[in-house]
Amino acid sequence: MSFDLTGEQRMIQTMVKQFSRNVVAVNAAERDESKNFPAEIFKAMGELGLMGMMVPFEYNGSGADAVSYVLALAEIAHACASTAVVMSVQNSIICESIFRFGNERQKEKYLKPLAGGKVIGSFALTEPGAGSDPVKQTSTAVRDGDFYVINGIKRFITSGKNSGTVIVTAKTDDTKGHQGISVFIVEKGTPGLIVGPEEKKLGLRASDTTDLIFEDCRVPAENLLGKEGDGFLIAMKVLDSGRIGISAQSVGVAQAALDAAVKFATGRIQFGKPLSQLQPLRWMIADMATEIEAARQLMFAAASKKDRGETYTTQASMAKLFASEMANRVTGKALEIHEGYGYMKDYQVERFYRDARVFTIYEGTSEIQRLVISRDILKNMRLP
């Protein structure tokens, strides 16, 4: 790890690593099998300051920088990707949205319990017909006196069942394209907000994913986040932060897969010697370790730009693109190193392989990241 960490950053990483291995990793496989949401673990993470890491102390956050955050998130992902995805959405998207764009009343009422881990949040952007292109969303929010009436269906919502606060996008003016999208804070229990059944997923099974259905859901006008028409800007800004979070999740899961593969290869005897002494396998391990380190440095580069207050959209997309695809390659190689055992649920690598698959899809597919990166490069190109 060539990135020069501060003493505080190393201390945070060490603390979270111990918690991850001693608490989060325990029963992670059982939670995956039973799809049991780890509510008690999130309460403990809230007490440790892990659910609002980049939020200032006055709003119950930890006041940590982005580098500390990705270090912590990668350690949680090493133990359980299902736990890590909820932590990522909570920090990168939910808390970030309200802290950056909310007014003081909204921060006091909603940000404090979210940052303290007392409430889980969910972000409702994707729709059945609008995933990579959020402008195609059809959910609407119509002003009615002191309320907005929201109608629409949101799909694939992380923590849709277990969240207490929902941040939802909807069109307030269908004639203005992306400038007609707004964002609202909706409390669970609000009449007209219906939680759909849990999706049956390949991975991240201890993190619930559901539809959120809005049927004449009346939301106080004071719960508008920012101004009318700010929704697309808010969503794109917090998704940049979310993409750094996915790079950290990818690094954590890939590192866990490599660690498991090395352990297996060291103890497995084939042709009279440990697998780890066979040259082809050593090359596989070398490639895996190199790819993980490259992804880690891209993750640090994006987080550092965020900490310096610089625009980091391109760096976040680069980190997300490379790290997510890397995690799929590394977990696949780790499964191969385990031979037939890797295909069995008795070994953790099978879970790592399933969990990693979604990293190239959610919060912007790899193809979307390539569009973002190439657009920035071409925009800034200076021809002679």
Side-chain angles (χ1 to χ4, degrees), residues 89-377:
V89 171
Q90 187 89 349
N91 279 271
S92 299
I93 297 182
I94 302 301
C95 289
E96 180 106 350
S97 293
I98 301 176
F99 176 64
R100 289 189 61 183
F101 301 100
N103 56 41
E104 195 60 32
R105 185 196 69 83
Q106 292 167 341
K107 291 176 183 178
E108 286 289 329
K109 184 174 182 179
Y110 298 109
L111 181 58
K112 280 188 171 181
L114 287 163
K118 298 184 182 301
V119 175
I120 299 296
S122 58
F123 186 68
L125 172 66
T126 300
E127 297 187 3
S132 297
D133 185 4
V135 179
K136 289 292 193 295
Q137 64 183 285
T138 59
S139 294
T140 59
V142 178
R143 184 71 183 256
D144 181 20
D146 292 333
F147 292 84
Y148 283 90
V149 181
I150 302 178
N151 282 281
I153 300 174
K154 297 296 182 175
R155 180 140 295 169
F156 303 143
I157 308 306
T158 299
S159 303
K161 175 183 176 182
N162 286 285
S163 59
T165 299
V166 180
I167 294 179
V168 60
T169 62
K171 287 187 174 179
T172 45
D173 190 336
D174 198 31
T175 67
K176 293 184 177 180
H178 71 275
Q179 294 182 336
I181 299 172
S182 302
V183 179
F184 303 88
I185 304 171
V186 184
E187 297 178 37
K188 276 292 188 65
T190 301
L193 172 53
I194 302 164
V195 178
E198 289 188 54
E199 299 286 354
K200 298 176 181 178
K201 299 181 297 183
L202 174 70
L204 304 181
R205 287 163 50 87
S207 161
D208 67 282
T209 301
T210 72
D211 281 358
L212 289 178
I213 304 156
F214 295 82
E215 294 184 351
D216 292 331
C217 182
R218 295 176 64 82
V219 178
E222 62 185 13
N223 282 24
L224 174 70
L225 195 60
K227 304 186 299 295
E228 275 198 16
D230 285 349
F232 184 81
L233 172 66
I234 292 172
M236 293 305 102
K237 290 293 184 182
V238 299
L239 284 174
D240 285 345
S241 183
R243 287 163 183 167
I244 300 177
I246 294 173
S247 72
Q249 294 172 55
S250 300
V251 167
V253 172
Q255 186 65 58
L258 175 59
D259 292 348
V262 169
K263 182 179 179 181
F264 181 88
T266 303
R268 175 73 166 165
I269 305 298
Q270 292 285 281
F271 306 107
K273 62 178 68 175
L275 276 178
S276 58
Q277 292 186 18
L278 300 177
Q279 188 179 61
L281 188 136
R282 284 176 171 244
W283 285 352
M284 288 177 70
I285 290 174
D287 288 344
M288 292 160 73
T290 300
E291 287 204 66
I292 293 171
E293 184 61 20
R296 184 178 285 115
Q297 296 306 317
L298 283 169
M299 174 190 78
F300 283 146
S304 296
K305 271 211 149 191
K306 177 175 169 62
D307 283 335
R308 292 194 298 269
E310 301 173 9
T311 300
Y312 60 94
T313 298
T314 302
Q315 284 67 32
S317 286
M318 287 179 172
K320 199 270 188 186
L321 170 64
F322 184 83
S324 63
E325 298 201 341
M326 172 279 299
N328 277 271
R329 290 190 294 267
V330 167
T331 55
K333 289 179 180 178
L335 192 147
E336 288 185 23
I337 289 171
H338 278 73
E339 304 169 319
Y341 294 102
Y343 202 66
M344 306 302 161
K345 286 186 176 293
D346 293 337
Y347 287 78
Q348 294 187 87
V349 70
E350 175 268 347
R351 171 165 55 90
F352 301 152
Y353 182 76
R354 287 187 290 105
D355 286 342
R357 189 60 196 89
V358 75
F359 294 160
T360 62
I361 300 172
Y362 64 6
E363 293 189 33
T365 63
S366 290
E367 290 68 35
I368 291 296
Q369 306 315 314
R370 291 184 173 100
L371 282 174
V372 171
I373 295 163
S374 60
R375 182 183 61 201
D376 185 62
I377 291 171

